[in-house]
Amino acid sequence: MSVELNHTIVHARNNRESAEFFAELLGLEISGEWGPFVAVELSNGVTLDFATTPEEHITSQHYAFLVSEEEFDAAYERIGRRGIEHYADPYRRQPGAINHNDGGRGVYFMDPAGHAMELITVPYGGWPAAKA
């Protein structure tokens, strides 16, 4: 069996709020709830299991998601409609913009718990020659 990521726990001030924020922004659905977790499943079967954690124990993490051009358009429209601060760069020096790194598009924004989220349409370094 090959090694695959199955799930990861994402600390949140409010598990439902963070799961709904993420799911609605990317056009996904909450896929389950058990114990302290509210899960959102990605298209490759990996789940983000949002767990309510005391705010003082939340360490900001970075989560980057490879999305299609159409998914990017839809998510970026939602970002704009909701007035979510967003940036073309991870240092937040280019507000209200997207980047065009590696021939694609990308955007950075924060989730309700303070995690740095990134959407990209082309992986870092570009697509392998076979995919180009």
Side-chain angles (χ1 to χ4, degrees):
M1 174 181 242
S2 62
V3 177
E4 296 180 357
L5 180 64
N6 177 265
H7 70 277
T8 191
I9 296 170
V10 181
H11 292 169
R13 289 189 298 261
N14 178 304
N15 61 356
R16 173 146 307 275
E17 175 189 32
S18 287
E20 288 176 353
F21 171 87
F22 181 77
E24 290 171 6
L25 194 69
L26 292 178
L28 301 171
E29 295 182 9
I30 290 175
S31 57
E33 295 184 50
W34 52 92
F37 306 111
V38 178
V40 177
E41 186 173 351
L42 306 178
S43 63
N44 60 352
V46 173
T47 61
L48 300 180
D49 298 346
F50 293 88
T52 299
T53 304
E55 190 165 359
E56 64 272 13
H57 294 140
I58 296 174
T59 300
S60 180
Q61 299 292 313
H62 174 71
Y63 298 93
F65 302 93
L66 182 61
V67 298
S68 70
E69 292 288 338
E70 296 78 20
E71 290 164 329
F72 186 92
D73 288 339
Y76 192 67
E77 189 274 327
R78 291 180 193 112
I79 288 170
R81 188 175 57 223
R82 291 179 175 187
I84 296 170
E85 288 185 25
H86 60 283
Y87 305 86
D89 65 304
Y91 305 106
R92 299 188 228 170
R93 295 183 187 136
Q94 300 172 46
I98 64 171
N99 67 58
H100 297 279
N101 298 341
D102 297 306
R105 294 183 292 163
V107 66
Y108 296 84
F109 57 95
M110 304 303 279
D111 85 340
H115 297 299
M117 302 295 208
E118 177 183 10
L119 304 179
I120 56 175
T121 61
V122 174
Y124 287 146
W127 292 109
K131 270 207 143 176

